[in-house]
Amino acid sequence: MNASMLFPSDGVARVMVAIHPYRGGRIAYQSTFWPAQFVDPSDGDPIPCGSQVQVVGRVGLTQLVKPL
């Protein structure tokens, strides 16, 4: 089982495939593409492609994000 890890500093990423609260998407972050999901699914509405999100951690390869 992969443990989640929160990052000591936050980064900003661009959404490449819309991120939905209970269904992940994809982001461009640190010069590559990553699967992404909300760190807290109750954060609200889907984030559309082209928007920016704050990357706060990861679980395995999946980046944990929250809306900016």
Side-chain angles (χ1 to χ4, degrees):
M1 181 168 143
N2 294 326
S4 67
M5 175 175 45
L6 296 180
F7 296 151
S9 61
D10 302 331
V12 175
R14 180 164 307 278
V15 177
M16 304 308 289
V17 174
I19 302 170
H20 297 267
Y22 293 94
R23 187 177 55 173
R26 289 191 71 78
I27 59 171
Y29 179 61
Q30 294 184 340
S31 302
T32 194
F33 300 99
W34 300 92
Q37 67 184 34
F38 281 104
V39 66
D40 179 4
S42 66
D43 272 345
D45 298 327
I47 301 174
C49 181
S51 300
Q52 291 187 327
V53 290
Q54 186 173 17
V55 179
V56 297
R58 69 178 173 88
V59 175
L61 294 176
T62 302
Q63 304 299 309
L64 302 174
V65 301
K66 63 182 182 179
L68 278 179

